[in-house]
């Protein structure tokens, strides 16, 4: 065979152009097999809960990351999070996966946009080199580093031992008063107790603190530190200090050993460490009343010590630089001509340009990371990868269009295509037709959600999807129409002089009793207006997508309070106590402590979770499962989906109105497919938000604020959401929705549009009125896109 003949055959290395998945069974996937082309853009579609994330994140990305981790030495693996192998028969052709998901940035009070990217680290080095006066190393500009001084003797045990005197100083940039948080919290004592009464007369006004309660009130009354019969206002200085700030000490009350500690630390531990969202409404109201956050007076909210703020480059301190809008900061960095730090300036300018390019130029580096929306957090994570010279990487995106105005989606599409054109495989989980359209290959999962999903309904091109007859294909070109008539407001919520973040002294009247949509390009000030400026005490219930604090033992039944009436019903029917029907209490299987699985830790190898043999994963003792209610035991009830359970508790001998009402609300918000016992840690951002909405719907609050409720919703489910919003308004509630989805805008009674741009180009109201007027005027970006959408 001659050389020319041999070279015409394909090289063996080029035959691996597919990622092949065979027999995936993660979560609800039913033996799914797909072939995904490499170096192309593949979009995964399907209704919420159909198994998209299980396939893309739980199978492909998880296995890729696990295999990369295994290339490190055992020593290094010991420091890395361990992952079990996903349930799948064959995975071939995987490449390195980089996951860009919507997990909110950590809510740590010290985390900012600058610290979450590398921008702050580079700025600190810049100031430590060029800042005048010179105050120290880069640590001296970090608000996460406290200044430390120590001196003493140090003994080095080597050869002849001898003690040496050593002094140690580390200069940090943390503000001493607020410890780098930028805000100080004060607890309003008048909300905790009535100082004209004594403890014996019931001075405490803290919810749940009854005067005969052993653990709370009696510990104070019988501790011996204070006189229980003396009004609190007459306490001596020492008594008041012990009462409010006393260190924890053991005391005996009625022969029982209890811990006594001051009221302030006790309140901080018992109320302030809990997730505000998960609190009962009256407790949440108490916390909002009792705790006030004020800007730290010493550092003026910059988080930095006086020394760190005094060092300047050309009159600009590091606090000023972090407070600038990133697009302006990029210009300032370019203007610095300093050969000694040229490589640093180049990298810093590139990072800041990436912010601007991805549409986040309106942020500032000192913005707390916890205040970013899911979409913003996702785009901040993308910044690292934009300038990367890696190719043949698999990028995995989870709904990259979240938080993006139709105007911004085009820009995001260009970024995805650019990543693909560099020779990468791009996998995107997405619902918006504007992004599905650019796909080279589409995988549609379904047909339903939960147990009714988990199969591949269609693979092919976008054109094939349109005519393929799947739910996604049928709804692909759905367009909502404007309402014929809009509702009349029943009153207004007044916002006056709002100037938070980039708002420019905004005055607006939000109509009540109707469906109001607040819109505008990303960064125009929507969240600042609604979350930051609505007056306190307006009876507002806010529902967002932030993570729900809870362990893998938490599930929809525990979170919504549904388990309570179910346990009571079981207990009443069987004449036993309710605690038996809780897998976290007396009814738990003794072998696995009610977790249903037994975890075996294998040091640096991935731990193995095996189903508990004793209870077969049911989480309860065998004796508990002998108690039946309506012909089912408690584990069978927890395995039901919301829809099944709603039917079960709705009629017949298992009729339980309290449980049925909660299940009805869960079905209303489109979570009918969730099983009652599914761990909360497995829910997506949109599912978490809808779960919170279902929980809040029972409350008496008159004004609901929803932040992008269409997140994670399939086109077919958006109609159901609009029906739910209508029902909420018709039941007398006022609903304010921050949203970019044109179907929701078209359905609104009143639209408030912010803009015209982002950052300091935004922060003004550019339109308020009905959707029909907005479309007719076409005076704003939103108006143009909405007009095109409704085809007028």
């Amino acid at each position: 065979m001659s050389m020319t003949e041999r070279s015409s055959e394909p090289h063996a290395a080029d035959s691996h152009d597919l990622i092949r998945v065979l027999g995936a069974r993660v979560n609800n996937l039913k033996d799914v097999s797909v072939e995904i082309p490499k170096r192309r853009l593949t979009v995964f579609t399907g209704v919420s809960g159909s198994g998209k994330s299980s396939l893309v994140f739980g199978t492909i990305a998880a296995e890729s990351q696990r295999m990369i981790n295994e290339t490190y030495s055992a020593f290094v693996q010991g420091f890395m999070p361990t992952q079990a192998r996903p349930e799948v028969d064959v995975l071939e052709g995987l490449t390195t996966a980089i996951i860009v998901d919507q997990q909110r940035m950590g809510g740590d009070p010290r985390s900012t946009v600058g610290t979450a990217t590398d921008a702050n680290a580079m700025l600190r080095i810049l100031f430590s080199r060029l800042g005048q006066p010179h105050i120290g190393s880069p640590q001296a500009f970090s608000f996460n580093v406290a200044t430390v001084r120590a001196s003493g003797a140090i003994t080095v045990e080597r050869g002849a031992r001898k003690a040496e005197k050593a002094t140690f100083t580390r200069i940090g940039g943390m503000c001493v008063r607020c410890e780098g948080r930028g805000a100080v919290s004060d607890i309003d004592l008048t909300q905790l107790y009535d100082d004209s009464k004594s403890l014996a007369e019931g001075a405490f006004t803290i919810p749940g603190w009854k005067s005969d309660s052993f653990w709370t009130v009696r510990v104070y009354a019988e501790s011996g530190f204070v006189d229980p019969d003396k009004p609190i206002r007459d306490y001596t200085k020492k008594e008041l200090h012990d009462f409010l700030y006393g260190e924890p000490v053991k005391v005996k009350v009625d022969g029982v050993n209890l811990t006594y500690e001051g009221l302030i630390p006790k309140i901080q531990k018992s109320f302030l460490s809990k997730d505000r969202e998960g609190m009962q409404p009256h407790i949440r109201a108490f916390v909002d009343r009792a705790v006030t956050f004020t800007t730290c007076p010493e550092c003026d909210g910059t988080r930095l010590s006086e020394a760190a703020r005094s060092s300047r480059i050309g009159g600009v301190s590091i606090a000023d630089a972090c407070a600038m809008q990133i697009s302006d900061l990029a210009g300032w960095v370019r203007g610095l001509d300093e050969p000694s730090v040229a490589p640093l300036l180049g990298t810093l300018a590139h990072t800041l340009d990436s912010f601007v390019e991805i549409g986040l130029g309106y942020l500032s580096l000192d913005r707390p990371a916890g205040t970013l929306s899911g979409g913003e957090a996702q785009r901040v994570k993308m910044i690292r990868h934009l300038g990367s010279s890696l190719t043949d990487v698999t990028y995995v995106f989870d709904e990259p269009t979240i938080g993006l105005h139709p105007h911004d989606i085009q820009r995001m599409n260009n970024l995805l295509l650019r990543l693909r054109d560099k020779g990468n495989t791009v996998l995107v989980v997405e619902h918006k037709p504007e992004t599905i359209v650019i796909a080279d290959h589409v995988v549609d999962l379904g047909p339903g959600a939960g147990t009714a999903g988990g199969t591949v309904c269609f693979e092919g091109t976008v054109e094939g999807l349109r005519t393929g007859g799947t739910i996604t294909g049928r709804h692909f070109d759905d367009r909502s129409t404007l309402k014929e008539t809009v509702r009349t407001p029943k009153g207004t919520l007044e916002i006056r002089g709002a100037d938070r973040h980039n708002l420019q002294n905004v005055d607006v009247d939000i109509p009540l009793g109707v469906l109001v949509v607040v819109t505008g390009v990303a960064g125009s000030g929507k969240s600042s207006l609604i979350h930051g400026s609505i007056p306190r005490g307006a009876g507002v219930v806010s529902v967002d997508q932030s993570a729900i604090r809870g362990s893998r033992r938490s599930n929809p039944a525990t979170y919504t309070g549904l388990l309570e009436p179910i346990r009571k019903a079981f207990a009443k029917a069987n004449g036993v106590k309710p605690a038996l029907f809780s897998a976290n209490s007396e009814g738990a299987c003794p072998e696995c402590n009610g977790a249903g699985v037994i975890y075996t830790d294998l040091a640096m190898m991935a731990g193995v979770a095996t189903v508990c043999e004793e209870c077969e994963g049911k989480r309860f003792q065998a004796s508990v499962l002998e108690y039946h209610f309506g012909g089912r035991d408690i584990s069978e009830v927890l395995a039901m989906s919301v829809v099944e359970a709603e039917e079960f508790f709705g009629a017949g001998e298992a009729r339980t109105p309290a449980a049925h009402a909660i299940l009805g609300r869960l079905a209303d918000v489109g979570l009918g497919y969730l099983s009652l016992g599914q761990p909360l840690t497995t829910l997506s951002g949109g599912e978490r938000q809808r779960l919170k909405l279902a929980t809040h719907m029972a409350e008496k609050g008159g004004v609901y604020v929803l932040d992008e409720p269409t997140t994670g919703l399939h086109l077919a489910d958006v109609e159901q959401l609009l029906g739910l919003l209508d029902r909420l308004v018709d039941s007398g509630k006022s609903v304010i929705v921050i949203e970019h989805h044109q179907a929701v805008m078209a359905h609104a009674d009143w639209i408030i549009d912010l803009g015209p741009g982002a950052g300091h180009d935004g922060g003004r109201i550019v339109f308020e009125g009905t959707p029909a007027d907005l479309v007719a005027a076409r005076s704003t970006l939103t108006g143009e896109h909405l007009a095109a959408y409704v085809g007028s």
Side-chain angles (χ1 to χ4, degrees), residues 361-389:
Y362 59 86
L363 293 176
S364 58
L365 294 181
D366 62 4
R367 171 94 175 257
T371 64
L372 296 180
S373 68
E376 285 172 333
Q378 186 178 29
R379 297 200 291 287
V380 165
K381 291 176 195 168
M382 276 181 76
I383 285 169
R384 299 225 161 129
H385 311 304
L386 283 183
S388 162
S389 44

Side-chain angles (χ1 to χ4, degrees), residues 219-220 223 225-226 237-251 259-269:
V219 173
Y220 289 97
S223 63
F225 289 109
V226 294
K237 206 167 182 181
K238 179 172 185 333
E239 278 185 314
L240 195 60
H241 182 271
D242 284 342
F243 176 56
L244 292 178
Y245 303 105
E247 296 285 322
V249 287
K250 289 268 186 278
V251 293
T259 302
Y260 170 91
E261 64 180 328
L263 186 60
I264 303 284
K266 190 168 179 86
I267 291 291
Q268 280 173 325
K269 281 179 193 160

Side-chain angles (χ1 to χ4, degrees), residues 162-432:
K162 72 174 201 278
E164 298 170 15
K165 191 149 178 51
T167 56
F168 166 77
T169 310
R170 181 183 71 194
I171 304 284
M174 180 187 284
C175 164
V176 182
R177 170 83 192 271
C178 62
E179 297 187 359
R181 288 187 171 90
V184 284
S185 64
D186 286 324
I187 291 185
D188 183 355
L189 299 177
T190 59
Q191 300 292 341
L192 304 184
Y193 55 78
D194 176 353
D195 67 357
S196 63
K197 292 182 178 172
S198 67
L199 294 185
E201 291 167 343
F204 286 120
T205 53
I206 302 166
W209 283 36
K210 301 180 182 67
S211 57
D212 58 346
S213 169
F214 205 60
W215 308 103
T216 51
V217 179
R218 284 181 60 190
V219 173
Y220 289 97
E222 300 175 28
S223 63
F225 289 109
V226 294
D227 179 350
D229 299 313
K230 182 163 44 165
I232 294 175
R233 63 163 66 137
D234 297 338
Y235 281 3
T236 62
K237 206 167 182 181
K238 179 172 185 333
E239 278 185 314
L240 195 60
H241 182 271
D242 284 342
F243 176 56
L244 292 178
Y245 303 105
E247 296 285 322
V249 287
K250 289 268 186 278
V251 293
K252 252 196 162 78
V253 177
D254 275 1
V256 179
N257 283 325
L258 296 174
T259 302
Y260 170 91
E261 64 180 328
L263 186 60
I264 303 284
K266 190 168 179 86
I267 291 291
Q268 280 173 325
K269 281 179 193 160
S270 58
F271 288 104
L272 305 190
S273 60
K274 291 199 175 71
D275 184 12
R276 191 178 163 280
E277 278 298 327
M279 293 176 180
Q280 292 165 298
H282 66 287
I283 306 270
R284 194 180 323 132
F286 161 72
V287 170
D288 289 347
R289 280 198 316 269
V291 185
T292 52
F293 286 96
T294 47
T295 304
C296 171
E298 208 149 293
C299 64
D300 200 19
T302 60
R303 306 159 177 256
L304 290 159
S305 65
E306 200 174 333
R309 287 177 316 204
S310 67
S311 179
R312 295 171 183 271
I313 301 176
V316 174
S317 73
I318 191 165
D320 301 334
C322 289
M324 279 185 202
Q325 186 165 311
I326 289 174
S327 50
D328 298 342
L329 181 60
W332 178 75
V333 169
R334 277 217 174 69
L336 296 175
D337 182 25
E338 196 65 49
S340 63
V341 287
L344 177 69
L345 287 171
T347 315
L348 179 57
H350 174 77
T351 302
L352 296 173
D353 287 343
S354 300
F355 270 101
V356 177
E357 186 183 355
I358 206 165
L360 292 176
Y362 59 86
L363 293 176
S364 58
L365 294 181
D366 62 4
R367 171 94 175 257
T371 64
L372 296 180
S373 68
E376 285 172 333
Q378 186 178 29
R379 297 200 291 287
V380 165
K381 291 176 195 168
M382 276 181 76
I383 285 169
R384 299 225 161 129
H385 311 304
L386 283 183
S388 162
S389 44
L390 288 172
T391 62
D392 261 334
V393 173
T394 302
Y395 285 99
V396 188
F397 288 94
D398 188 4
E399 286 196 71
T401 56
I402 283 184
L404 287 182
H405 188 271
H407 172 69
D408 302 312
I409 288 180
Q410 192 54 50
R411 195 190 235 159
M412 179 54 101
N413 284 351
N414 293 339
L415 283 171
L416 295 173
L417 292 171
R418 245 181 57 201
L419 283 173
R420 178 202 66 186
D421 294 345
K422 271 171 58 179
N424 296 309
T425 308
V426 182
L427 308 181
V428 183
V429 172
E430 187 53 86
H431 292 291
K432 293 240 173 95

Side-chain angles (χ1 to χ4, degrees), residues 163 204 508 524 630 751:
F204 286 120
V508 64
S524 56
I751 283 191

Side-chain angles (χ1 to χ4, degrees), residues 538-716:
V540 172
V541 175
S542 177
V543 186
D544 63 12
Q545 298 164 33
S546 57
I548 295 171
R549 283 191 201 167
S551 66
R552 54 177 175 246
R553 287 173 176 274
S554 310
N555 53 42
T558 57
Y559 184 78
T560 55
L562 171 66
L563 207 52
E564 201 62 28
I566 292 180
R567 284 200 303 248
K568 284 182 179 156
F570 264 94
K572 196 172 168 192
N574 294 289
V576 290
K577 53 185 178 181
L580 279 176
F581 300 100
S582 165
N584 298 332
S585 184
E586 289 184 28
C589 159
E591 189 70 21
C592 62
N593 287 332
V597 284
I598 291 175
Y599 291 91
T600 314
D601 183 21
L602 299 176
M604 76 282 166
M605 304 290 287
V608 181
T610 46
V611 175
C612 169
E613 291 174 7
E614 181 78 16
C615 64
E616 295 171 357
K618 291 180 178 173
R619 303 171 53 182
F620 291 92
Q621 295 178 26
S623 58
V624 174
L625 299 181
E626 287 167 15
Y627 297 117
H628 286 77
F629 175 66
R632 304 283 181 98
D633 66 40
I634 183 77
S635 71
E636 289 170 335
V637 168
L638 288 176
M640 289 179 182
S641 70
V642 168
V643 175
E644 288 172 64
E646 188 182 13
E647 201 176 307
F648 176 72
F649 288 111
E653 57 175 317
R655 191 169 165 275
T656 313
H660 187 256
I662 296 173
L663 289 161
R665 291 197 287 272
L666 283 170
D668 269 354
V669 295
L671 293 177
Y673 60 88
L674 282 190
S675 72
L676 304 186
Q678 183 177 339
L680 289 189
T681 45
T682 61
L683 299 188
S684 67
E687 286 170 336
R688 286 196 295 260
Q689 186 182 22
R690 299 201 292 287
L691 183 62
K692 289 179 192 173
L693 176 59
T695 315
H696 288 309
M697 272 166 61
E699 290 175 21
K700 297 288 181 278
V703 183
Y704 281 65
V705 173
L706 307 183
D707 200 341
E708 290 203 65
T710 55
T711 302
L713 277 185
H714 188 265
L715 296 162

Side-chain angles (χ1 to χ4, degrees), residues 442-461:
V442 179
V443 177
D444 188 23
L445 286 123
T451 49
T455 58
V456 174
C457 301
F458 172 83
E459 285 183 82
T461 61

